[in-house]
Amino acid sequence: MKLNIKKYSQFLLATALPFFAGCGEEMNIPEVITPSHSVIKVSQSGNDNLINIDQVIDFADVSQGVKSRTWTFPTEEGTVTVEGDPTTAQVRGIFHKVGTWEVGLHQEFKNQPYVGDGTTPIDGTSYDTTINVTVMPALEISSMKANLLSSDGQVGEELPLNPSTPTEIPFGSVVRFTYQAIGSPSVVDGNFDGAQLLGNDAENSTFDVKYVTLDKVYSASPVLIRPMPQSSDTLYIENFVKCVRSEEPVTLDEVIYDMANEANVHLIFSRGLNPASVASENFAVKITTADGVVLTPALEASVNPSDESIIVLKLDGEQIYSDDQVTVSYFGGEVETADKAIVAEFEDTALKIVEENLLETAGYDYSFESSSVNWNAGQPSWLGGDFTNTLVKTTERATVGMYSLKISVNPYNGVGAWGNGTIIQPFENGVAHNFPYVAEGSNKIKIAFDGYLEENGGGIDPTIPNQFNTNMRMYLNWGAGGAEKPHTIGGTEEGVWKEYVDVVTVSNIQPSYGMAVKIAQTGLENVTIYIDNIRVTRWNPRP
């Protein structure tokens, strides 16, 4: 056996020697040519490079064919601390002053470089890039005032925020708070002592609060928040109003069914009610199923002890499903407010089903307000290319909060049979941004989001087989098993917000999922869309 191995080795050596001898100095060694291509990554690019004072921001030169590079930072003393060698591929900046600052990168390439998504190289082998970094101040409330709103929404009497005795206001009143603040807050939260925070208008720096309990003295501690980059400030207001009898008529403001909270019908009135005046026989709920069957379940009516402006209707032996149409009626004229105002009768008032947004509950970046979450395209690379020319969180348009995600995709390049396919998904500190999921019922999920189409991409090339208009999909990522719906956006109406809705069945249950957006661009022109307010809710159809 050893002899055979020795002979085999000798044979290999004998055959190899003529090969090496024959090659000599004239042996052809292939030369690998690396194209020059300028590509720069910034850690906060998905947030338009907005950061807080003393927040870290990383810069990386991931270009090909670079011979040398030099990063430059502001030279004003005390502006920035630079970590790393400015001639290396990656550096870090920590900015210490508010303002917009320029970071430069000078590159020398081996050949004429391509830049970004450009399809032709630039003239020369040098290229300079300027990156703007905006450093935001800490949020600070400068001033705040409060005014009563009339029943038709007109701003009325100003209320002192630090009175010697609480100011008396008609109970059921809505108070509008107007503030001035440094640092661009967009969200209002806090403790309002049982009053109802109705809404927040960040553009006009106002928020409205409704006071519904008779004879109660209220305090408040509103918190103004800037989610991106995160900062907040709180104002404490003590014993500033007291609710007294009102001369205004009582109104029914809302009829809802909250699937995540008790699953009862809630009738929300403009002010607190007298619990003794509410009788179950004076109310009726009519449910029309998706099959057209009409149900009128027995019910029990009572006033919510924690908020006496709400009547709770508890259905006996029946529940409301996602695909039901429901109305509520009230007859009898016996219900009165705590200050003896009579509630008017109403018939067949439509009910709104309130569903829990699993993303919002989990603190997911559903409205693009988080400064720690970046939405990236073409990552990981096996998902496909990145055909976006713009992908950024922006304040240009929004339906919830201050920000939306602006996506702009290049015209179809005619290469792939399925258009310029781009997948976009969120990452938090470099890790996929997910939310927890627990199997429940049929595991049907409704996925909805708001979209504003600025450019619809134009038409398609009719000569290309199997062609389709540009579409957009929003789906659970990865392996949920649902067949997501392609929403056609190519050639459709521009300049309006629309709601896009899909219902899928999650068949491959995982402990967590992320969200992903896929745009298949087939148009001959640019397509640009803003998306906001992604909702993932349980869809519970009637069996």
Side-chain angles (χ1 to χ4, degrees):
M1 191 69 175
K2 290 181 180 178
L3 181 62
N4 291 339
I5 293 176
K6 183 176 180 181
K7 286 182 178 179
Y8 182 61
S9 301
Q10 290 173 339
F11 170 77
L12 285 175
L13 181 61
T15 56
L17 283 173
F19 172 78
F20 288 111
C23 291
E25 295 182 359
E26 297 182 2
M27 177 180 177
N28 293 322
I29 301 175
E31 179 183 359
V32 178
I33 299 176
T34 301
S36 294
H37 188 185
S38 178
V39 180
I40 303 168
K41 301 292 186 180
V42 183
S43 62
Q44 296 296 324
S45 61
N47 303 323
D48 211 15
N49 297 335
L50 286 171
I51 61 173
N52 282 318
I53 288 180
D54 297 329
Q55 181 178 339
V56 167
I57 182 168
D58 291 313
F59 305 87
D61 179 7
V62 294
S63 307
Q64 292 180 312
V66 178
K67 290 169 54 180
S68 66
R69 65 178 64 79
T70 303
W71 296 94
T72 57
F73 286 81
T75 57
E76 182 180 326
E77 185 176 356
T79 298
V80 61
T81 300
V82 179
E83 296 181 358
D85 184 341
T87 63
T88 58
Q90 185 166 339
V91 292
R92 167 172 290 182
I94 306 170
F95 287 80
H96 309 299
K97 290 185 178 181
V98 172
T100 299
W101 306 98
E102 292 185 350
V103 175
L105 175 62
H106 176 78
Q107 297 167 298
E108 293 288 342
F109 289 91
K110 298 175 183 177
N111 307 296
Q112 292 174 272
Y114 295 85
V115 176
D117 295 328
T119 57
T120 58
I122 66 170
D123 294 332
T125 57
S126 301
Y127 189 69
D128 291 294
T129 302
T130 300
I131 302 163
N132 288 321
V133 177
T134 300
V135 183
M136 297 291 289
L139 199 152
E140 181 180 354
I141 300 172
S142 305
S143 66
M144 187 174 291
K145 67 176 184 176
N147 293 80
L148 274 177
L149 289 187
S150 65
S151 58
D152 60 357
Q154 298 298 311
V155 177
E157 172 191 356
E158 183 172 348
L159 307 173
L161 296 183
N162 190 27
S164 55
T165 60
T167 303
E168 293 184 347
I169 62 173
F171 103 108
S173 293
V174 175
V175 174
R176 173 158 295 170
F177 292 84
T178 304
Y179 57 86
Q180 291 183 331
I182 298 169
S184 304
S186 60
V187 177
V188 176
D189 204 346
N191 182 1
F192 294 94
D193 205 6
Q196 301 169 5
L197 176 61
L198 298 181
N200 165 39
D201 183 354
E203 185 174 348
N204 293 306
S205 301
T206 65
F207 59 93
D208 296 343
V209 179
K210 181 179 174 183
Y211 296 88
V212 296
T213 302
L214 186 62
D215 294 329
K216 180 172 180 176
V217 175
Y218 285 90
S219 298
S221 52
V223 182
L224 303 188
I225 302 168
R226 180 184 68 218
M228 185 174 71
Q230 205 283 327
S231 186
S232 65
D233 195 17
T234 303
L235 183 67
Y236 298 95
I237 307 168
E238 292 189 9
N239 301 330
F240 82 111
V241 292
K242 177 183 179 180
C243 287
V244 298
R245 180 181 174 85
S246 173
E247 299 299 328
E248 293 287 336
V250 62
T251 58
L252 176 64
D253 293 342
E254 200 170 13
V255 180
I256 64 172
Y257 182 81
D258 191 342
M259 288 202 169
N261 182 23
E262 298 181 357
N264 293 320
V265 176
H266 286 186
L267 311 179
I268 303 176
F269 291 88
S270 58
R271 60 184 188 263
L273 304 170
N274 175 11
S277 69
V278 175
S280 300
E281 59 268 21
N282 292 334
F283 296 88
V285 172
K286 181 172 71 174
I287 302 172
T288 304
T289 72
D291 294 331
V293 177
V294 176
L295 307 172
T296 54
L299 58 84
E300 178 184 335
S302 61
V303 170
N304 185 343
S306 62
D307 185 344
E308 293 186 344
S309 69
I310 299 175
I311 292 178
V312 179
L313 304 182
K314 184 176 181 180
L315 306 184
D316 184 10
E318 190 54 80
Q319 71 179 84
I320 294 172
Y321 292 88
S322 299
D323 55 351
D324 287 337
Q325 299 295 318
V326 184
T327 60
V328 180
S329 300
Y330 159 64
F331 307 99
E334 296 182 3
V335 175
E336 64 181 16
T337 65
D339 58 354
K340 305 302 182 183
I342 299 299
V343 174
E345 296 180 352
F346 56 87
E347 184 175 4
D348 291 335
T349 298
L351 174 143
K352 175 185 176 182
I353 297 176
V354 177
E355 301 157 316
E356 178 190 14
N357 184 355
L358 301 183
L359 303 184
E360 183 177 7
T361 301
Y364 198 82
D365 193 29
Y366 75 100
S367 63
F368 307 101
E369 305 293 322
S370 174
S371 60
S372 65
V373 177
N374 290 324
W375 290 72
N376 300 337
Q379 183 180 351
S381 58
W382 59 265
L383 288 174
D386 175 8
F387 296 98
T388 62
N389 55 65
T390 302
L391 179 59
V392 64
K393 293 179 179 180
T394 177
T395 58
E396 293 176 31
R397 310 182 193 281
T399 57
V400 172
M402 291 287 289
Y403 290 86
S404 63
L405 184 67
K406 181 179 182 179
I407 307 169
S408 189
V409 181
N410 296 323
Y412 179 43
N413 59 16
V415 175
W418 303 107
N420 289 359
T422 299
I423 291 181
I424 300 162
Q425 56 181 333
F427 293 83
E428 186 169 25
N429 300 319
V431 179
H433 182 44
N434 291 338
F435 67 96
Y437 182 81
V438 177
E440 182 179 299
S442 63
N443 284 305
K444 290 185 180 295
I445 293 294
K446 182 171 77 171
I447 303 173
F449 65 96
D450 302 332
Y452 184 99
L453 193 61
E454 189 172 81
E455 297 175 292
N456 65 23
I460 58 176
D461 185 347
T463 65
I464 300 176
N466 303 318
Q467 196 55 280
F468 55 90
N469 277 308
T470 299
N471 65 53
M472 180 176 187
R473 303 168 189 246
M474 179 78 68
Y475 57 93
L476 298 181
N477 191 18
W478 287 101
E484 71 277 1
K485 176 181 179 180
H487 302 286
T488 297
I489 57 176
T492 61
E493 184 181 9
E494 298 174 341
V496 293
W497 282 103
K498 293 182 180 179
E499 181 185 38
Y500 297 86
V501 179
D502 189 13
V503 175
V504 301
T505 300
V506 182
S507 58
N508 182 22
I509 306 300
Q510 302 291 332
S512 66
Y513 296 103
M515 301 305 299
V517 179
K518 180 176 182 180
I519 295 182
Q521 156 71 313
T522 60
L524 304 180
E525 302 169 15
N526 210 60
V527 62
T528 300
I529 190 168
Y530 300 77
I531 62 173
D532 200 5
N533 192 24
I534 307 171
R535 286 95 68 200
V536 174
T537 57
R538 306 278 184 182
W539 179 256
N540 188 22
R542 185 173 289 274

